[in-house]
Amino acid sequence: MSTETSTTKGSDDLEHEEHTHGGTDKQYFQIFWILVVLTALEVSTEWWDEWFGEGSRPIAVFVLITLMIIKFFLVASYFMHLKWDTPILKRIFYFGMIVAIAVYLIAMTSMNFWTDSGTTEFNDPPPAPPPVEASD
Amino acid sequence: MGDLMYEEVEDLEFPDDIHVTSTGISNEKLGMWVYLASDCLLFGGMISTYLIYKNRPAQIEGLEGGDIIPSQFFDIPFTSMTSFILLMSSLTMVLSVNAIMRGDMVRMRLWLVATTVLGSMFLAGQAYEFTIFYFDDGLGFTTNVATSAFYALTGLHGVHVLIGVIMLLTMVGISYRRKMHAEAVEVVGLYWHFVDIVWVVIFTVVYLIP
Amino acid sequence: MRNKRSATIWTGIALVVVLFFGWLLVRDIGLPGGRALTTLSPQGPKAQEIQNLIIPVFLVAGLVFVLVQVGLVWLVVRFRRHKDDRDGVDEPEQVHGNTKLEIGWTIVPAAVLAVLAVFNVQTTLAMDNADDPLEITVIGNQWWWEYRYDLEGDGVVDIITANDAAIPVGRDIVFKIQSNDVIHSFWIPALAGKMDAVPGRTHQRVMRADEPGIYQGQCTEYCGLSHGVMRMQVTAYEPDDYDTWIEAMTTAPAQPDPDDELAIAGQELFVTQCSFCHQVNGLDPNSSAPFEYSDLPDPDYGASIDIPLASGNAPNMTHFMMRPYMVGGLLPAYEGLSRGGGGDQRTVAEPIPSGTPEENNLKQWLREPESIKPMNPDNNQGMPNYNLTEEQIEQLTAYLLTLK
Amino acid sequence: MAITEQTPLELTTGEDRTSSAGDPMGVFARPRANTGWRSWVNTVDHKKIGIMYGVASFFFFLVAGVEALMIRTQLAVPGSQLLSADLYNQVFTMHGVTMVFMVVMPLAAAFANYLLPLQIGARDVSFPRMNALSLWIWLSGAIFFNTSWFLGGGADGGWFNYAPNASVTFSPGFGIDFYAIGLIIMGIGSTVSAVNLTVTVLNMRAPGMTLMKMPVFTWMMFITQVLLVFALPVITVALLLLSFDRIFDAAFFDASKGGDPFLWQHLFWIFGHPEVYIMVLPAFGIVSEVIPVFSRKPIFGYPFMVGSGIAIGFMGWGVWAHHMFASGMGQMSILAFSLATLFIAVPTGVKVLNWLATMYGGRLRFNTAMLFSVALVGMFTIGGLSGVSHAFAPADTQQTDTYYIVAHFHYVLFGGALLGLFSGMYFWWPKVFGHFLGERLGKWHFWLTLIGFNLTFGPQHILGLQGMMRRTYTYFDDQGFSTWNLVSTIGSYIIAISVLVFMWNMGASYRKHRRERVDPGPDPWDARSLEWMVPSPTPEHNFDETPVVEEFDEFWHRKYGHDENGRLVRIAKTSDVAQTGQNANVHLPSPSYWPLVIAISMPLIGYGLIFNLWWAVPGAILLIAGCYGWVMEPSTDPAGGHHHDDHDPEAGPPDAAVAELAKGEDLETGMSNGTDDGGPESSTTEEAPVG
Ligand code: HEA
Ligand code: HEA
Ligand code: CUA
Ligand SMILES: [Cu+2]
């Protein structure tokens, strides 16, 4: 796109180099509309129960997560220029993100988040092993 | 991250002295990205807290504080609107960046103001949502862990948006006062988009997946 | 040449020093007598399994330790710069690295650890195995422990006692560990490792004693003011003795002798003053004499009576004098027991204690509880000082001594 | 706003700056002082900031050390009544927190600040003003935290402050509020500094200084900063939840309302384990500098040194729950974390063995710095091995919360981190202050430290295995702990003496220097990395000309070559390759008051949150004023010294300034090297961390 119109006097050459990244307004609008559509789709899951019955719940969750990830990457790659910028930025950011996701998922798993059956014993520790074999 | 660096070594060789920074990226931009990466862990922590607590009061009998949880009261159409507004503000933000890259200060300022307005609308929406929760639905901050976690998470995000709005306004102010470097707008933009994608996650994980 | 010789000498000296300290350590470890809490003298299978894991670990670690330290001393001596060395002339060869070596000393430790890891996995998985276990619920409170026995497994709590858990020898016990206030940790080093008591959760620890005796324990998760003196014991009885103990604990204590005026007065005082916190099975703080004891404790006593305690509970006193120790395992209740749990106590376990009570300990506790154990009754943590008169103390003591 | 109005439409990127950019904005005139205390208060010079970090953390070392002595004195004999249980609990908590957050971390930050720019051949860090900001924020947080002693008692929850013991119900005093808010404040400071230094290492390297040519110290510091960047937000979350619980009556950790005490534990240790490597990696870096210099050999296996550092940094994220083996997590979690922990010994072992290999065949000169480094190798290994022994989960259920753990972590923290930092002090003292630390007293210091340290913490292994649990304010004579406790206490006093010797040494060396100035010259140790190229003490502008780096250990290679047998030969005199520090015509960032103003606002807000929200108002006002002043203040004072009239960094991107400069002047002199902080951009980077 046309980033190169009038830039700082002494640094024309630099600006050219630096700003070969970034999309055009048109591109951004396109991305935006995609995002709008995806969001609409996301919001629609709210009524899937009515439309497709209770059974659609897991699919809805799956769709939601997928759409979330797509939206995330669309914004990050286009609006935040990661697509065009030096890879180092991408690496730093996604490294942080991956650490965050990994660490917190592990912590939640360790807290039995997925198997919590909702009793007064929070995140029920795994049931005691059956009193079987003698220990020694 | 370091072994990523290993491969990086080659690209980081100084081609010539034109690049003043070793990576070719300005300090500000790099710093902002490093900060954003760090913020991932901040929001990650808050989101996990919410996830762990969201259904507890309703699921577990005998807890003090009652069994109402925020997700019973979500108004999805309304929140969809505010989410949409925030998404739109991301668009105006990039348009603003493009404008200043073209040297078009008028448009830049226009889009910046638009972003500010949209961001403020989002905040207003959130404030409205909070008042409904609080006064009509009886969800206090201290009602139970689910409500506390909800307010803490969305509140933290709201504070980020607020800071973003202040930064945008500052940019507008400064643009009247002295010459601006296009990258300054871009860096603020990064922050703004980040706040937006965090909301993308929150909106999905908190609002849409009950 | 000179280099090598002095290197040997110095290495030798270092070795001697290290061995000396090693010997001191081993010698000290070999003396578990007087060390009631030592982790190095397992008395039950679970603790033994841990020991079996830890010994190879210590051996490997010891080997690495010796190699590194001796190597270090040797390097220091062998390659030290000499006075006559000249810069720019007597320079060492400039070695930058050696990939084979590097890979070697990445893989070798990894391999060693991988082998040990197998034992680690085995032992970890074996920790919870139990054969026909007896379940005892342990509840941590600031700063004492409560035990609950549900003997028939019918959901009715048959026995509530404090600080001293009785178990039969030779049977796997599953302790169900809970907490009423903050996090504590339940630990009987001679029998098994620790397990935290976390509010809102139930954890478990399996252990078994092979010999009768009193096994000392200590709360090991920092739990506030008196964490340092929050003790407990597990007393292991021969199965017969254990049955005797159960028998005694499930019958209501005898009413104090009507002639014993002190005790009768003490009982009245206890009901009006103390039973707002302390349960004696059957006594009702709101009723007046004659008082009735009952066989069964009320597990919801703390909740049913408005006790201003942070943990909501105080020790059940029904069979107070059945315990070898009192006050969170801190004070001996009978003569001949030591305060620190030192000495060889494994022989003194009688199902129904017959020794001479340490009355003075009890009196001191009633006179000035905070002198024995730091507590914070202003914040509803622990037992307040009721400024009892000496007479009242005599009465209460007389009464409490009847609770067997 | 006092802005010079301009016709908006005319302002575009391409235009000249308006004249107003030079006006000092806000209340204060732009600080100019170059000498006296003022020059310290408003400095943005990374060297001065580094020194201040050092001084402040040494002060806190004394504070925490006296607390340690109180602990040891109390435990010297059984049944001691010296400290009440309450006081004891406060003392060990404050000791732990102070040592970790106010001694080791900032002391490492002192080295990082001073040395990173020098080692990579830069003028300064990437954001000098933010650098000052992080110092002051950290310091105000640290002071804030320690004032709790005078305002109702210190924190008493232990340094990891487990919920729910930390809730208002069980700890009604203010201590834990100070803990939560103090650590949040210090965390903000550390985050700012970590971002800053990360960017510095990535962005500010001299030409040719690729990542794999950076000194090991720089590498370890870099990894440390990256760990900080990612670890601090996690504890911030935990602390925020804790303060919501305590101050606004939420129930995040209150089990009766559904709060989960495990959440705190996970959050704390997700931070806490990376934190321990944050504390030790800087020391590893120092040792990796000192040993090669005094062995007169390059570091053995440089890529492996770097790689293992990275591996430690990585693996450090996956082992946190080894602090929770007895907490009652599920068996699978225990197994997973136990195995992960085991293998962290591998990269650490690589480091240890590489140090040994570096010494092998060398020509070891035992200066005090070297002594400390060599001692670190030995002592850290002991700590590491005990660490491995409780990585075995079942074993740990016997060891956790006993003195065996206390022994472990003092061996790695004192025997690792602190010995390394002492080594670094002796090593870089001449570079920083222009005179040596006395060697004779240094040796005394070293031997007393080594002996005292082993006497103090060695017996604690035994005590722990014998069942003495930690955090106990007393024990009884018939528990069998008496002998070794007494030994341990005696040891701690020997450490205290050694610290006094060290302080004496600092004073004496300075006085000696005043009497008979002996210039250590730029390169007193015949060392290897770039910081030894500049005169000692480092001139304000660091390098007269930015070095162009061709090799790892660039400076060494400028001095030495190899003959055909691989032996060293001198190829240049140090004086020929070192710089003179004469070039005064270098453009430097200007000092500023605003960092201090912003930093002061934070504890004010903290006191407000604890005692009365109204008191937070002045703090908030100060904060806003500070941010405003900061944003409006140009990063360079046009009227200040060292200014080139022909350009102004505000006039364009930093690149432009230099490129422009490069055309006119000699390419290397007067290069501003991208040090540009402030201007509009800084408004983002500065405000962001506050959020
Ligand atoms: C600088 C800080 C530091 C460092 C570097 C370490 C390093 C390690 N730590 Fe430590 N640790 C602490 C600081 C540190 N720790 C602190 C402060 C606590 C207590 C917190 C609290 O409770 O208050 C703690 C507690 C702690 C625990 C919890 C104990 C408990 O509370 O129950 C565990 C358990 O696994 C552990 C393990 C390890 C391991 C495996 C390493 C490894 O990284 C060590 C690796 C090093 C070596 C092994 C030596 C060199 C290697 C060789 C020579 C190769 C050959 C070796 C073999 C084949 C074995 N540490
Ligand atoms: C880097 C970290 C670090 C360092 C260096 C130290 C250093 C020391 N530590 Fe500590 N320590 C911790 C980190 C550290 N510690 C942590 C994290 C805990 C856990 C806390 C918790 O459980 O929550 C702990 C806990 C801890 C305990 C256990 C307390 C308990 O569990 O009950 C003990 C007991 O011996 C102890 C002792 C010491 C001693 C004797 C020193 C000595 O090495 C100190 C040496 C320093 C000095 C002696 C200072 C010299 C000062 C002077 C000479 C006075 C001069 C005075 C003036 C000029 C005014 N420390
Ligand atoms: Cu209970 Cu410590
Ligand atoms: Cu750890």
Side-chain angles (χ1 to χ4, degrees), chain D residues 613-634:
Chain D
L613 274 181
W614 285 109
W615 298 6
V617 172
I621 292 173
L622 210 57
L623 180 63
I624 293 167
C627 291
Y628 177 76
W630 177 297
V631 174
M632 289 304 154
E633 180 186 70

Short mmCIF file of all heavy atoms in Angstrom, two decimals, chain D residues 613-634:
data_model
loop_
_atom_site.label_atom_id
_atom_site.label_comp_id
_atom_site.label_asym_id
_atom_site.label_seq_id
_atom_site.Cartn_x
_atom_site.Cartn_y
_atom_site.Cartn_z
N LEU D 613 -9.17 4.90 52.29
CA LEU D 613 -9.11 5.15 50.85
C LEU D 613 -8.85 6.61 50.51
O LEU D 613 -8.25 6.92 49.50
CB LEU D 613 -10.41 4.70 50.19
CG LEU D 613 -10.43 3.22 49.81
CD1 LEU D 613 -11.74 2.87 49.13
CD2 LEU D 613 -9.26 2.91 48.88
N TRP D 614 -9.27 7.53 51.41
CA TRP D 614 -9.07 8.93 51.10
C TRP D 614 -7.60 9.27 50.99
O TRP D 614 -7.21 10.16 50.25
CB TRP D 614 -9.73 9.82 52.16
CG TRP D 614 -11.21 9.83 51.99
CD1 TRP D 614 -12.13 9.24 52.80
CD2 TRP D 614 -11.94 10.41 50.91
NE1 TRP D 614 -13.39 9.43 52.30
CE2 TRP D 614 -13.31 10.14 51.14
CE3 TRP D 614 -11.58 11.13 49.77
CZ2 TRP D 614 -14.31 10.57 50.27
CZ3 TRP D 614 -12.58 11.56 48.91
CH2 TRP D 614 -13.92 11.28 49.16
N TRP D 615 -6.79 8.54 51.76
CA TRP D 615 -5.37 8.85 51.72
C TRP D 615 -4.77 8.53 50.36
O TRP D 615 -3.68 8.97 50.03
CB TRP D 615 -4.61 8.03 52.78
CG TRP D 615 -5.04 8.32 54.17
CD1 TRP D 615 -6.07 9.12 54.57
CD2 TRP D 615 -4.45 7.83 55.36
NE1 TRP D 615 -6.17 9.14 55.92
CE2 TRP D 615 -5.19 8.35 56.44
CE3 TRP D 615 -3.36 7.00 55.64
CZ2 TRP D 615 -4.88 8.07 57.76
CZ3 TRP D 615 -3.06 6.71 56.93
CH2 TRP D 615 -3.81 7.24 57.99
N ALA D 616 -5.50 7.73 49.60
CA ALA D 616 -4.98 7.38 48.29
C ALA D 616 -5.10 8.53 47.31
O ALA D 616 -4.44 8.55 46.27
CB ALA D 616 -5.71 6.16 47.74
N VAL D 617 -5.94 9.50 47.67
CA VAL D 617 -6.19 10.58 46.71
C VAL D 617 -4.93 11.34 46.34
O VAL D 617 -4.62 11.49 45.15
CB VAL D 617 -7.30 11.51 47.25
CG1 VAL D 617 -7.44 12.73 46.36
CG2 VAL D 617 -8.61 10.75 47.33
N PRO D 618 -4.15 11.82 47.33
CA PRO D 618 -2.92 12.51 46.92
C PRO D 618 -2.03 11.64 46.05
O PRO D 618 -1.44 12.12 45.08
CB PRO D 618 -2.23 12.84 48.24
CG PRO D 618 -3.05 12.28 49.32
CD PRO D 618 -4.33 11.80 48.78
N GLY D 619 -1.98 10.36 46.38
CA GLY D 619 -1.18 9.45 45.57
C GLY D 619 -1.67 9.41 44.14
O GLY D 619 -0.89 9.51 43.19
N ALA D 620 -2.98 9.30 44.01
CA ALA D 620 -3.53 9.22 42.66
C ALA D 620 -3.24 10.49 41.89
O ALA D 620 -2.85 10.46 40.72
CB ALA D 620 -5.03 8.96 42.74
N ILE D 621 -3.39 11.62 42.59
CA ILE D 621 -3.13 12.89 41.91
C ILE D 621 -1.68 12.94 41.45
O ILE D 621 -1.36 13.31 40.32
CB ILE D 621 -3.45 14.07 42.85
CG1 ILE D 621 -4.96 14.11 43.09
CG2 ILE D 621 -2.97 15.38 42.26
CD1 ILE D 621 -5.39 15.12 44.12
N LEU D 622 -0.81 12.52 42.35
CA LEU D 622 0.61 12.53 42.02
C LEU D 622 0.88 11.64 40.83
O LEU D 622 1.66 11.97 39.92
CB LEU D 622 1.40 12.05 43.23
CG LEU D 622 2.81 12.60 43.40
CD1 LEU D 622 2.77 14.10 43.45
CD2 LEU D 622 3.42 12.05 44.68
N LEU D 623 0.24 10.48 40.82
CA LEU D 623 0.44 9.54 39.73
C LEU D 623 0.03 10.16 38.41
O LEU D 623 0.78 10.12 37.42
CB LEU D 623 -0.38 8.27 39.99
CG LEU D 623 -0.28 7.18 38.92
CD1 LEU D 623 1.14 6.68 38.82
CD2 LEU D 623 -1.22 6.04 39.24
N ILE D 624 -1.15 10.79 38.42
CA ILE D 624 -1.63 11.38 37.17
C ILE D 624 -0.70 12.51 36.75
O ILE D 624 -0.28 12.61 35.58
CB ILE D 624 -3.07 11.87 37.35
CG1 ILE D 624 -3.98 10.66 37.56
CG2 ILE D 624 -3.51 12.68 36.15
CD1 ILE D 624 -5.35 10.99 38.05
N ALA D 625 -0.34 13.34 37.73
CA ALA D 625 0.56 14.45 37.41
C ALA D 625 1.87 13.90 36.86
O ALA D 625 2.41 14.42 35.86
CB ALA D 625 0.82 15.29 38.66
N GLY D 626 2.36 12.86 37.49
CA GLY D 626 3.63 12.29 37.05
C GLY D 626 3.54 11.78 35.62
O GLY D 626 4.41 12.05 34.79
N CYS D 627 2.47 11.07 35.33
CA CYS D 627 2.32 10.55 33.97
C CYS D 627 2.22 11.70 32.97
O CYS D 627 2.81 11.67 31.90
CB CYS D 627 1.08 9.67 33.87
SG CYS D 627 1.23 8.14 34.78
N TYR D 628 1.46 12.71 33.37
CA TYR D 628 1.31 13.85 32.47
C TYR D 628 2.66 14.51 32.21
O TYR D 628 3.07 14.71 31.06
CB TYR D 628 0.33 14.85 33.08
CG TYR D 628 0.17 16.09 32.26
CD1 TYR D 628 -0.59 16.06 31.10
CD2 TYR D 628 0.79 17.28 32.63
CE1 TYR D 628 -0.73 17.18 30.32
CE2 TYR D 628 0.65 18.41 31.86
CZ TYR D 628 -0.11 18.36 30.70
OH TYR D 628 -0.22 19.48 29.94
N GLY D 629 3.36 14.76 33.29
CA GLY D 629 4.66 15.40 33.14
C GLY D 629 5.58 14.55 32.28
O GLY D 629 6.31 15.04 31.42
N TRP D 630 5.53 13.27 32.52
CA TRP D 630 6.37 12.33 31.78
C TRP D 630 6.11 12.42 30.29
O TRP D 630 7.02 12.55 29.46
CB TRP D 630 6.07 10.93 32.29
CG TRP D 630 6.78 9.83 31.60
CD1 TRP D 630 6.67 9.48 30.29
CD2 TRP D 630 7.75 8.96 32.17
NE1 TRP D 630 7.48 8.43 30.02
CE2 TRP D 630 8.16 8.09 31.14
CE3 TRP D 630 8.28 8.82 33.45
CZ2 TRP D 630 9.09 7.09 31.37
CZ3 TRP D 630 9.21 7.81 33.67
CH2 TRP D 630 9.61 6.97 32.63
N VAL D 631 4.82 12.36 29.94
CA VAL D 631 4.48 12.33 28.53
C VAL D 631 4.86 13.63 27.86
O VAL D 631 5.33 13.66 26.72
CB VAL D 631 2.98 12.06 28.36
CG1 VAL D 631 2.58 12.15 26.91
CG2 VAL D 631 2.64 10.70 28.93
N MET D 632 4.69 14.72 28.61
CA MET D 632 4.91 16.01 27.99
C MET D 632 6.39 16.39 27.94
O MET D 632 6.77 17.31 27.26
CB MET D 632 4.15 17.09 28.78
CG MET D 632 2.66 16.99 28.58
SD MET D 632 2.29 17.05 26.82
CE MET D 632 0.75 16.18 26.75
N GLU D 633 7.19 15.68 28.66
CA GLU D 633 8.60 16.05 28.73
C GLU D 633 9.35 15.38 27.58
O GLU D 633 9.30 14.17 27.43
CB GLU D 633 9.18 15.57 30.06
CG GLU D 633 10.61 15.88 30.26
CD GLU D 633 11.11 15.24 31.55
OE1 GLU D 633 11.23 14.01 31.61
OE2 GLU D 633 11.36 15.99 32.50
N PRO D 634 10.01 16.18 26.78
CA PRO D 634 10.79 15.54 25.73
C PRO D 634 11.93 14.74 26.34
O PRO D 634 12.43 15.08 27.40
CB PRO D 634 11.31 16.71 24.91
CG PRO D 634 11.22 17.87 25.80
CD PRO D 634 10.15 17.62 26.79
#
